[in-house]
Structures are given as C-alpha cells and as structure tokens.
Amino acid sequence: MADFIQLFVNGLALGSVYALAAIGFVIVYSATGVVNFAAGQFVMFGTFAGVAMLANAGLPWPVGYAAALLAMAAFGALFFAIVYLPLRTSPVVTVIIGTVAVGIVMQNAALLGFGSWPFRLASPLEGVTIDIAGAAITAHAAMVVVVTGLLVGLIWLLFYRTALGIGMRAVAQDAEAARLMGLNVNLLLALSWILAAVLAGIAGLLLGPMWFADVNMGDPIALKAFAATIIGGFGSLPGAIAGGLFVGLTELLGASYLSSAYKDLIAFVVMILFLLVRPQGVFGERIQDRG
Amino acid sequence: MRRYDSLIIAAAIVVLGGLLSLVLADYRLRLLNVSVISAIAVIGFNFAFGLAGLISLGHAAFVGLGAYTLAILTTALGWSPWLAIPVAILVTTVFAGMIGYPLLRLRGHYLALATLGLNVSFTIVVTNWITLTGGTNGISGIPELRLGGFAFNDERRFLWLGLVLLALCAAFAITLQRSRHGRAMMAVRDDETAARMTGIDVTRVKITALCLSAAFAALSGTLFAAHVRFVAPEDFNYAHSIIYLAMLIVGGEGAVAGAVIGAALLTFLPEWLRFLGDAYLAFFGLMLLAILVFLPTGLVGLTGRLRRLGWGAKVERTP
Amino acid sequence: MTLLQATAISKRFGGLMALSEVDFTVAPGEFVAVIGPNGAGKSTFLNVLTGLTLPSAGNVQFDGRDITRAPTHGRIRAGLGRTFQHGRLFSRLSVLENVMTGAAIRTDRSESQLREASLGMLDRMGLADEAKRPIDSLSYGQRRMVELCRALACGPRVLLLDEPAAGLNSGEVELLMARLIALRAEHELAVVLIEHNMGMVMRLAERILVLNFGCRIAEGTPAKVQSDPAVLSAYLGEGYNNARD
C-alpha cells in the first residue's frame, strides 16, 4: 500500500508536468491553429533556463525562478514574431514540418550552450520528505501537484473571469469577428504564445529536479504531451489535464505493475486507440472542424 | 520528351554514380551507399507524402521493419538474403496495408501524431523484445549479398548493386507517377471531394500510396541491413523519419529526382559542413525552415520556377 | 422510365431541416432545373444525390439500383457526374491531366487512349489550346469549362451542374449554353441544373423543381412554374432580402 501511494503521488507529479506541457500546447493550438511539434523543446528550454539562473548564475531560487520564467516569456514573444508570423498562412503540412525544424534548432542550440552532459537541477525543497500512511513522498512531488492545481485554477480564472482571457478565447473562436469587435488580435495571439511558453517553463522547472536536465529531454516530453492531448481531446483544456495525469500515472504504475520495458508503450497504444476509435478524445473538438 | 524521363533519370543515376564509384575514396563511397539506400526510402515516401499528401512521421518504422525482417530471417533462420528481401518487402507492405485501413481515416496533424506514435512504438518494441531483436545490442552477423562467386562485400561493389536498384526504383516510380495511378494520388491530395467526384476510390488510393511507400522503405531497409550487416533500434527511430521528410522537402516533394537529390545532399551535407561541428543540426533545422518558407517546392522546384518565368514571358508576347 | 429517382429525401442538420420529403426523378436525356432562393437546400440535395451527405431519411435509386448509401466514387462509376459551385480542379495537374483523371474511370483504356479521349473532349469544348497549361494560369471561366470537361470525361448518364454560370460573363454563359445543347444532342445525357440565372434555366430546362426551406413548393414546365403563386412569393421574398443586403 505504501508503495502504491508513493507511485501514485509520483505519477500525479509527473502527470502534472505533462498536463502543463499539454495545456501550453492546447492554448497555442486553440488560439492559432498551430500544432506545435516543438512543444517538448519549450519544456526543455524551461529546465535549462532554470539551470542557467539557479546553477550557473547562482541566483537564490525565488529570483532565479522568476528570471527563468521571464526569459521563457521573452522566448514566447520571439517565437511568435520569427516563427509563427512567417508561417501563419502556410498549409498545415508546412506548419507541422516548420515547428519540427524549429524544435531541431532549439534542441541543438541548447546542446551548443550547455553540452550533452546532463545537469542536476535542485529543488527548493531538496531532501524534504512527507510521510503519508507509511509512504515517503518527496516534498517536491507534492509541491508539483499543488503548484499545478493552483495554475489550473489561475488559468481558469484568466480565461473565464478576466477581459484579457475572454478576449483570447474570442480570438481562438473567430479571429475575424474578434478583429471587427476592436480586439487587438495580434497582441492576443502573441499573448497565447507567451502564456504557452511560460507554462512550458514552469513544467520544465518542476521537471528538472525529477529528471536530469538533459538537452534531449524535449522529445519524450513532447510525445507524452501529444499522447495526453489526443487522449484528453485535441484543443480541450480539461482534456489536457486529464490526459496528462493519465499518461503520468500509467507510466509510473505501468512500469511497476506491468512492465518497466513497455511502460512508454501503454500511453502510445492508448493514444493510437483513441485516434482510431474516438479521435475527438474524452473532451475534445469535433474533428471535422480542423484537419 | 517527358515519355523518356524515367529512362533518362535511371541512366543518369547509373552513369553518374558509376563514374563516382571509380574516383571516390572508400569513405566517400560509404556515404554514397548511404545516399543510395536513403534515396530508395525517400522515393517511396514521395508516394505517400509528395503525391497523396499523407503527413507521415513514421516512415523509418517501415524501413526498420524491412531491415529487421531481413536480419531475423537471415541470422536466426539462416535464409538466403535474396529470399529474405522479397519476404521482408511483403511483410512490411502487408503491415502497412493493415494499419492503413484504420489509420488513413485520420488527416493532417492527427495522422502526423498517429504515425509518430507508431514509430515510437516500433522503437520501444524492437528495443525490448530482446529474444527476437537483441534489444539495444541489435542483430549482427547479417550475411553479405553475393551473386554466384561475386560478393557485394566492399563499398564499391555494393554501390554498383545499389545504383542499379535505385535506377530501377526511380524509373518505376516515375512511370507510376505519370500514370493514372499517380494522377489519382495527386488528385486525392489536391481535393479529396473532387477526386471522389471523378470516380476515384480515395481510401484505396491512400492505402495504395502507403503500401507503395512501405514497400520501397522495406527494400531500403533490407539494403541497409545488407550493407552495414548490423541493425539496431536507433537506426530507425522517428528522428530518421524526420530526416526522410527533410530529404524530400529539400529535394522537392512530388518529384522522384527531388527525392534522389535530397537524399544525396542531406547525406553529404554533414561532411561538407563538418567545420560547423555541433552546430550542424541547428543549421540543418534553420535550413529546413528557410526552404519551407522561401522554396516550398524544393531544389527541383527551382527549375520549374525558372521554366514558368520563361513561359509567363511568352504569354505576354502573344496577348 | 426514370434513370435517377430520389424518394422522400429528408436531411436534418441538428435542429435545422435542410430537406424535407423531397421527391425527384430524372429520365434519360431529360433536362431538369432545380431552383430556389439561397439556403433552399439545393446544394444539400446535390450532396445527397452524389453521396457527399447521407440523407436522414428517404432513398436514392439510379438505374434501378438503390444507391442511398453507396460511396461517391461508386455512383460516379455507375454514371452520375457533377461539377461544383466554385469549380474544383486538381491544382498540381495540367488541364489535360485533370481531364485524364476523369477519363481514367474506364480502366480498360491505355495511357495513350486516355490522352486521346481527353484531348478530344477538350477540343469539343474549345479548350484544345490550353491542354498543357497549369491550372493556376487559367481564367475563372476556363476553369469551370475544364471542370465540366473532366466530369464529361467520366461518361456520365446524368450530369449534375451546381451553378455552372456563376461568375461567368454573358459571353461565356452563351457559350456554355450552346455547348450544353450540343452535348445533349450528341449523347444520351440527362442534365440536372442548379442555377440562379433564370434566363438560362428558362431556355434550357424542360422541367423545373422549385425548393424553398428544404421543401418542394412547385414542379413542372417553365411556363407553369413561372406562374405558380408559391414560387412568386418565395422569389419576391428573396428579392426583398437582396434589396436589404
């Protein structure tokens, strides 16, 4: 039982990170229609922003975290300007391959900056454990779950209770109508990219202490985030959360109770099954709408 | 003139490659072999992506399935490679047909994600099904190809075989592309509904395109296995699918010549740009992005653009 | 004798009844027009006939066979043909290759036979000089003609034309009408025409079906339909709407 609780909390923590990555992916997709195949590299950048600020620059962790997220926000704005705007009117194929290309550039830029040797990114709660029913839970894992829960609440407030968020949703639904209503569409689209980058950054900072910070970590995260989005439902925020938690839990519980070799296969097989049987996922869009 | 395009390209491949095989040093010959083997896979990918517009990010899984089938049949069962090659192609094609029926109902990014998931799943399975595939150690000891007393056991000899096969593949692909089947594939990519309205069975055309792409991929995989005489999971992960895609885009999607040029260029480019060191892949990504934005029809499209400019000028003269 | 018969076709989109209980027949060689105000359900009706949309109720028969749920390509191979409202061509193929995709419906033809048949069709429609041209170099009117050629190359027995005159200038409309008349004289070809150009409808159609809000409100000869009070009120209503726009 203690083992199970430990696995379950760790699975929730990992799933929370996937969910944050998936939420960033979904926000961009809903607002701009872009399927961002570089989404995993955004998370990797977040981790390495943390490495740069905390380990390399030696900033105290609240300042370091803030600086890392600021850097991610700037990166989101940059991505909007130099990748999204030129590809905005291109066909789906071009956008998909374009973001794949950008992902390759990001991964190798990180390789040039940080080398291929993995880093250890410490948690602010390093070494602290919590005892729940005999199971030793790292405080970091508990923090990841709590922070993700708070963020989900904040995102909900942003999208449903503030003029800014409602404007972003309006742009996502019909950019032309939003423009006619006097909304600054380009600014709101840029904000979507910035928000996605910041969420990926938080995911990266939270993930850093759970894994090693490795320039190749982006691809596995992207694949899990994609699986989470498909399972939860493409374009749906509740779907991204449910999908992320599902993928994280199956990964850790599957590794322990089914097969550690095939733990990653579960998520992909479930994803492919969803694509074939229920491509709109648990909460998702009608797939005729886009394609 | 277009009628002889397939013969011209086949002859160009054999003559040019043959000349190169006489002057290049062994290491360059090795790269040329890699180009030829990749080119066969990319010609196949052109059916699915270039003609029928199926965005697949899992082509390397088909190459891998062909390579592993040959490796297993020749090492564990002791088959002759000449027998294992057609069986590997058949196995891969049947597999593509089976997954094609459910998978090809998906479009756009859904298909991209599903094929990506397929490729990742393939890598996981071959990495972990150790009794069959040797896991990360791979399978070594794949026998060399030989014809009577003549073994294709050095780079030059293997290249001759590869060039002949590539020339045959290219000629076949061009002939097919210029036939009703090729036109049907392009029609499906341009406008599925209008294609249905001209009596085209869209599902069948898509599955045919996927099966053809898988068959070429499997041939490429078997040649890869017979050339290196060793297979391991990382040679067929989805990064390779992205490289096949990049080769086709750089060369020019929709064109067999583009597939061959793209495959050769992207195989040699890391050598020519060796001075970039670790920055090569970053450069590679930027180059791909630049081609997508500024040259969406690839290098082959450049000639078409020039031709069209000339054509446009002629129209203006005769109003 | 009827070639194409639709019986009690209904189509519901959510709460909207796009078609309700529409009956329709076409005899071999007949020229029928389907008219009605915008949103009357004309295009939905063509979609049901060609299998792009499945009806919620009713059935479609072609040449005595039930094709209500048959796939589109099967209906085309059986002898239905259709053009689209805005002309949909294969942009990566040349004019000739576009027509050849239609001609390829006959699988017994060799590549050179396909080419000859398609060139012949282009020649008859006055497009022989454009055969080698890429699609994006054609005028709008030429594109629509090429689309018509492609549909004809499939050898249809019933050709469904969705607003073929839309976007054409008056000279091109005259040419289109002349060619349609010539085609019918040449082949045993039935035509179903959806059109807003009433001059064209009245000159060509032998029978007219009038739809409004998805219902059949009148059917008969042009003279009879023109004097039908239900039709007049439907069109006056549309005239009023157009004036408001």
Side-chain angles (χ1 to χ4, degrees):
Chain A
M1 189 61 196
D3 282 351
F4 176 79
I5 292 174
Q6 197 177 355
L7 283 171
F8 188 80
V9 174
N10 286 338
L12 276 185
L14 187 58
S16 300
V17 172
Y18 293 153
L20 287 177
I23 291 171
F25 178 78
V26 165
I27 286 173
V28 160
Y29 174 70
S30 308
T32 67
V34 170
V35 180
N36 182 13
F37 276 76
Q41 310 303 343
F42 275 58
V43 177
M44 181 272 291
F45 262 31
T47 305
F48 276 92
V51 168
M53 303 300 173
L54 297 170
N56 295 2
L59 297 173
W61 71 263
V63 185
Y65 274 25
L69 292 181
L70 210 61
M72 285 307 291
F75 177 73
L78 187 74
F79 196 95
F80 167 80
I82 66 173
V83 180
Y84 171 70
L85 286 181
L87 285 176
R88 184 181 34 168
T89 53
S90 304
V92 182
V93 192
T94 310
V95 176
I96 290 176
I97 301 160
T99 57
V100 168
V102 173
I104 296 173
V105 176
M106 289 171 71
Q107 183 178 355
N108 289 284
L111 179 69
L112 289 175
F114 293 91
S116 56
W117 196 254
F119 286 83
R120 180 90 176 87
L121 180 63
S123 163
L125 302 173
E126 193 71 29
V128 185
T129 55
I130 306 167
D131 186 278
I132 300 176
I137 310 288
T138 64
H140 182 78
M143 179 183 83
V144 169
V145 177
V146 171
V147 168
T148 303
L150 286 175
L151 279 172
V152 167
L154 284 176
I155 291 167
W156 186 85
L157 283 177
L158 170 71
F159 278 130
Y160 291 89
R161 287 291 179 271
T162 69
L164 183 67
I166 292 168
M168 286 169 81
R169 277 169 54 219
V171 171
Q173 267 169 22
D174 188 339
E176 210 36 57
R179 200 185 307 276
L180 291 174
M181 284 165 59
L183 293 173
N184 186 340
V185 171
N186 265 344
L187 180 69
L188 292 170
L189 290 176
L191 280 176
S192 304
W193 279 103
I194 292 171
L195 182 60
V198 169
L199 287 172
I202 297 173
L205 291 174
L206 294 174
L207 187 64
M210 295 157 71
W211 291 4
F212 280 105
D214 175 350
V215 295
N216 299 316
M217 66 195 283
D219 284 338
I221 296 165
L223 292 169
K224 298 296 167 54
F226 294 154
T229 333
I230 295 282
I231 293 166
F234 226 89
S236 151
L237 286 177
I241 299 160
L245 294 178
F246 172 81
V247 172
L249 284 171
T250 50
E251 184 175 333
L252 287 198
L253 296 176
S256 181
Y257 295 110
L258 294 171
S259 153
S260 64
Y262 290 105
K263 67 183 163 74
D264 290 331
L265 201 56
I266 304 168
F268 296 122
V269 169
V270 173
M271 174 185 102
I272 291 176
L273 284 178
F274 260 96
L275 277 171
L276 299 180
V277 180
R278 193 180 156 80
Q280 72 274 36
V282 181
F283 298 90
E285 64 173 31
R286 299 185 305 278
I287 62 161
Q288 293 89 334
D289 295 355
R290 304 196 201 230
Chain B
M1 207 167 7
R2 274 166 62 98
R3 180 173 292 181
Y4 300 111
D5 277 5
S6 56
L7 292 178
I8 292 170
I9 290 207
I13 288 170
V14 172
V15 171
L16 220 82
L19 286 176
L20 284 173
S21 80
L22 299 177
V23 298
L24 289 185
D26 223 35
Y27 178 65
R28 296 285 147 112
L29 286 180
R30 186 175 182 78
L31 286 179
L32 209 51
N33 269 318
V34 175
S35 311
V36 166
I37 292 167
S38 305
I40 293 175
V42 180
I43 288 176
F45 190 55
N46 188 43
F47 285 116
F49 176 71
L51 300 189
L54 308 172
I55 315 178
S56 161
L57 296 178
H59 195 59
F62 294 139
V63 178
L65 188 56
Y68 267 95
T69 311
L70 177 110
I72 292 164
L73 291 177
T74 53
T75 58
L77 302 178
W79 286 29
S80 149
W82 296 115
L83 187 60
I85 289 173
V87 171
I89 293 172
L90 189 71
V91 165
T92 310
T93 310
V94 169
F95 175 73
M98 274 163 42
I99 60 161
Y101 261 98
L103 219 54
L104 292 178
R105 290 183 302 152
L106 304 170
R107 277 183 225 168
H109 55 261
Y110 289 99
L111 183 61
L113 286 171
T115 49
L116 181 63
L118 185 80
N119 205 150
V120 174
S121 304
F122 175 80
T123 307
I124 295 173
V125 170
V126 294
T127 309
N128 293 294
W129 194 349
I130 295 168
T131 49
L132 189 68
T133 64
T136 46
N137 292 333
I139 300 174
S140 53
I142 296 167
E144 65 202 16
L145 288 170
R146 45 171 56 247
L147 215 54
F150 189 89
F152 298 99
N153 57 359
D154 69 17
E155 294 295 342
R156 188 164 286 114
R157 289 174 165 196
F158 196 90
L159 184 60
W160 293 340
L161 174 70
L163 286 170
V164 170
L165 288 174
L166 175 61
L168 288 174
C169 285
F172 173 73
I174 289 174
T175 310
L176 197 70
Q177 184 170 344
R178 302 267 167 85
S179 74
R180 69 183 76 208
H181 306 290
R183 285 192 299 272
M185 287 176 200
M186 287 192 261
V188 164
R189 171 168 168 183
D190 280 349
D191 189 331
E192 271 189 33
T193 307
R196 289 202 171 89
M197 216 53 84
T198 41
I200 292 170
D201 183 342
V202 169
T203 313
R204 215 177 97 185
V205 167
K206 283 183 175 180
I207 287 176
T208 309
L210 190 73
C211 286
L212 272 169
S213 88
F216 278 70
L219 175 61
S220 165
T222 56
L223 288 177
F224 178 92
H227 177 237
V228 188
R229 298 172 61 190
F230 169 72
V231 292
E234 67 265 25
D235 292 321
F236 313 108
N237 62 21
Y238 75 88
H240 285 83
S241 293
I242 289 167
I243 291 176
Y244 292 131
L245 185 68
M247 285 172 167
L248 190 53
I249 286 170
V250 170
E253 46 143 329
V256 171
V260 177
I261 292 169
L265 194 67
L266 287 199
T267 310
F268 277 92
L269 204 57
E271 282 311 303
W272 296 336
L273 299 178
R274 196 179 254 177
F275 61 89
L276 288 177
D278 279 346
Y280 170 72
L281 277 173
F283 167 83
F284 169 78
L286 286 174
M287 178 189 72
L288 191 55
L289 196 63
I291 286 181
L292 280 174
V293 175
F294 300 112
L295 200 61
T297 46
L299 293 177
V300 166
L302 267 179
T303 60
R305 268 197 192 184
L306 295 176
R307 200 182 302 152
R308 193 166 289 190
L309 280 178
W311 192 86
K314 204 167 69 194
V315 168
E316 274 171 325
R317 277 202 304 276
T318 54
Chain C
M1 191 192 142
T2 57
L3 188 52
L4 178 65
Q5 177 168 27
T7 314
I9 297 292
S10 296
K11 178 67 194 177
R12 180 187 289 280
F13 290 113
L16 177 81
M17 210 61 183
L19 292 170
S20 52
E21 308 254 328
V22 177
D23 293 321
F24 182 63
T25 59
V26 183
E30 203 184 4
F31 204 122
V32 194
V34 178
I35 63 170
N38 283 326
K42 304 183 299 286
S43 285
T44 307
F45 188 56
L46 278 200
N47 288 347
V48 167
L49 293 180
T50 50
L52 295 183
T53 308
L54 291 180
S56 315
N59 75 77
V60 185
Q61 296 207 335
F62 185 75
D63 205 9
R65 278 186 19 228
D66 188 334
I67 57 162
T68 313
R69 305 207 156 252
T72 298
H73 63 89
R75 300 177 197 221
I76 304 301
R77 288 180 191 174
L80 271 181
R82 174 186 177 171
T83 65
F84 289 92
Q85 204 170 344
H86 298 293
R88 297 170 77 160
L89 291 168
F90 306 128
S91 53
R92 292 187 303 163
L93 301 179
S94 70
V95 168
L96 176 63
E97 287 170 329
N98 262 277
V99 181
M100 282 168 80
T101 47
I105 202 161
R106 292 260 309 273
T107 49
D108 57 336
R109 283 176 174 160
S110 74
E111 209 45 30
S112 58
Q113 283 171 322
L114 283 181
R115 186 173 293 267
E116 264 164 45
S118 305
L119 277 171
M121 184 60 72
L122 283 169
D123 194 29
R124 234 171 304 156
M125 303 298 273
L127 288 165
D129 292 342
E130 327 298 337
K132 290 246 154 79
R133 285 177 64 178
I135 294 303
D136 57 15
S137 70
L138 298 181
S139 72
Y140 185 76
Q142 284 173 323
R143 283 183 203 211
R144 306 227 47 183
M145 278 301 185
V146 173
E147 198 197 13
L148 185 59
C149 278
R150 189 180 65 194
L152 287 167
C154 296
R157 285 187 284 167
V158 177
L159 182 61
L160 313 169
L161 301 173
D162 196 348
E163 300 197 22
L168 301 191
N169 63 39
S170 56
E172 288 171 325
V173 172
E174 283 302 318
L175 205 60
L176 174 68
M177 284 203 284
R179 283 179 181 151
L180 284 176
I181 291 167
L183 272 172
R184 285 192 60 219
E186 229 173 294
H187 307 276
E188 178 75 335
L189 177 67
V191 178
V192 177
L193 174 72
I194 287 188
E195 191 47 69
H196 279 300
N197 183 330
M198 281 306 141
M200 184 173 172
V201 169
M202 294 303 162
R203 273 175 56 189
L204 291 176
E206 294 155 356
R207 188 156 58 84
I208 298 178
L209 169 74
V210 189
L211 293 179
N212 196 19
F213 295 114
C215 300
R216 182 171 80 164
I217 58 170
E219 184 171 0
T221 60
K224 183 184 159 212
V225 163
Q226 262 175 313
S227 57
D228 190 302
V231 177
L232 289 175
S233 81
Y235 271 88
L236 282 178
E238 193 199 20
Y240 172 74
N241 280 335
N242 285 347
R244 203 178 50 179
D245 286 346

